[in-house]
Amino acid sequence: MSKAHRGKGIRELPAHGRGKCAICGKEDIKVLFETEIDGNKAKICKYCNAALKNKKAAN
């Protein structure tokens, strides 16, 4: 079966969802997760999102 619709949601975003992560600073990485950092909403990559969730789960 074809997978024609995989990634359809990010095709509409500017640069196909790629940019600079607000936490780690990597460039041209998919920044799809919106989180609140110091009261401001910022987009972060999936690696930083997982790290934040693991940190919360450990506490």
Side-chain angles (χ1 to χ4, degrees):
M1 307 240 353
S2 76
K3 296 173 175 69
H5 303 292
R6 186 178 285 183
K8 180 183 174 192
I10 65 171
R11 288 185 196 142
E12 299 163 356
L13 297 175
H16 299 283
R18 293 183 180 269
K20 184 175 181 180
C21 178
I23 295 178
C24 64
K26 289 182 184 177
E27 294 184 8
D28 293 329
I29 192 167
K30 290 180 188 170
V31 285
L32 303 174
F33 301 93
E34 193 169 293
T35 187
E36 193 168 316
I37 302 171
D38 298 329
N40 297 325
K41 289 201 172 196
K43 293 227 175 199
I44 60 172
C45 64
K46 74 176 188 178
Y47 305 109
C48 293
N49 187 46
L52 289 175
K53 286 190 177 189
N54 288 333
K55 189 183 278 187
K56 284 182 184 178
N59 291 332

